[in-house]
Amino acid sequence: MNWSFQLYSARNFQPWTGVVKMLGQLGYSQVEGFGGVYDDPKAFRAELDKNGLAMPTGHFSIDALENDFDGVRKIADALGITLMICPYLMPDQRPSDAAGWRGFGERLAKVGETAKKAGYGFAWHNHDFEFKALADGSAPQDHILSAAPDIGWEMDVAWVIRGGADPLPWIEKHGKRIVAVHVKDIAKPGEGLDEDGWSDVGHGTVDWAGLFKALRAKSAAQYFIMEQDNPNDIERYARRSIAAAKSWQE
């Protein structure tokens, strides 16, 4: 397994040179990019190369993807990104009904067509809001995926759970669409209070050993990416998480 690491997790633990060196030493072979590491792509690529790391996936805002695709492509090429991922929709931009979410899915579909023509993969990354039922009882995620049938899904399993959904039926239904997975864990009650309720992977409440087997058997996921939105100790988080993940392969 080429375990990856979403660099957003380490945004508060600068400099990046130290973060990248640490990840290489801990046994990660890939990282996932986000806006905070795109200022000087060539220099960042040099640091990755020096530490034996690749960046096959990267997050880009819907605004950049729709309005500056050439700029996104230049960043991707400099860093080696082949799978572009749209990671979020700001609260004030989120639709309130099924038609609105289908419309957003259509926007993603257009980005996906542009990316495909240019030789890249494209996927949507979920949070919790896509699983909170609309007035008609439907879930925004279903509307997004149905309106954009050719794009992939980067499944953030812990956010699915926080949205009130069971990830297993979603894996069963959309496994062929799942091209990447965010490996994230939810803290046990009373723990992780200063980490937004998250935990080191394998030390929380998510059944990752079972979910990993299901994802390997029933999804098309090529990338498994550790992420913690607000860790208080990045070295501890990265070290304990990859150790737990490697135990699932035994």
Side-chain angles (χ1 to χ4, degrees), residues 187-199 230 232:
K188 297 172 183 176
E191 297 182 4
L193 301 181
D194 64 339
E195 296 185 289
D196 296 344
W198 305 112
S199 83
N230 192 27
N232 58 25

Side-chain angles (χ1 to χ4, degrees), residues 19-241:
V19 170
V20 169
K21 181 179 180 180
M22 174 196 71
L23 293 173
Q25 291 174 339
L26 288 175
Y28 292 90
S29 55
Q30 298 175 347
V31 294
E32 183 169 79
F34 78 109
V37 300
Y38 296 155
D39 289 344
D40 189 343
K42 290 182 180 179
F44 205 91
R45 174 69 178 270
E47 285 298 318
L48 295 178
D49 291 346
K50 188 163 64 176
N51 289 281
L53 292 164
M55 187 186 288
T57 66
H59 285 191
F60 297 93
S61 70
I62 184 67
D63 180 63
L65 289 161
E66 288 184 323
N67 301 315
D68 186 22
F69 190 82
D70 281 343
V72 169
R73 182 168 58 182
K74 289 175 183 176
I75 292 169
D77 289 350
L79 288 163
I81 294 168
T82 55
L83 175 63
M84 299 173 177
I85 299 160
C86 182
Y88 195 62
L89 191 61
M90 295 297 288
D92 62 349
Q93 298 177 5
R94 295 173 196 165
S96 59
D97 57 18
W101 282 108
R102 285 194 293 272
F104 177 64
E106 291 166 2
R107 290 171 63 191
L108 292 177
K110 289 180 181 178
V111 172
E113 289 174 12
T114 301
K116 186 177 181 179
K117 287 178 182 176
Y120 306 91
F122 179 67
W124 167 253
H125 169 275
N126 70 276
H127 284 75
D128 56 347
F129 58 85
E130 299 94 323
F131 298 89
K132 296 188 182 295
L134 300 171
D136 64 1
S138 64
Q141 184 73 359
D142 267 327
H143 300 302
I144 292 170
L145 293 175
S146 64
D150 296 324
I151 73 169
W153 176 14
E154 180 176 62
M155 186 184 202
D156 191 313
V157 173
W159 274 123
V160 173
I161 295 169
R162 277 205 173 175
D166 179 349
L168 284 173
W170 287 88
I171 294 169
E172 290 278 354
K173 184 177 180 181
H174 297 291
K176 293 179 180 179
R177 304 280 299 275
I178 300 171
V179 294
V181 177
H182 267 201
V183 183
K184 183 185 296 181
D185 214 333
I186 298 170
K188 297 172 183 176
E191 297 182 4
L193 301 181
D194 64 339
E195 296 185 289
D196 296 344
W198 305 112
S199 83
D200 298 347
V201 174
H203 295 267
T205 61
V206 179
D207 175 23
W208 265 112
L211 284 165
F212 181 70
K213 288 180 182 177
L215 286 160
R216 292 290 279 173
K218 299 175 181 179
S219 85
Q222 299 180 50
Y223 309 105
F224 288 82
I225 303 131
M226 305 294 179
E227 186 187 47
Q228 214 272 46
D229 290 41
N230 192 27
N232 58 25
D233 181 332
I234 194 63
E235 190 279 336
R236 183 213 71 224
Y237 168 75
R239 172 173 44 80
R240 294 179 85 204
S241 295

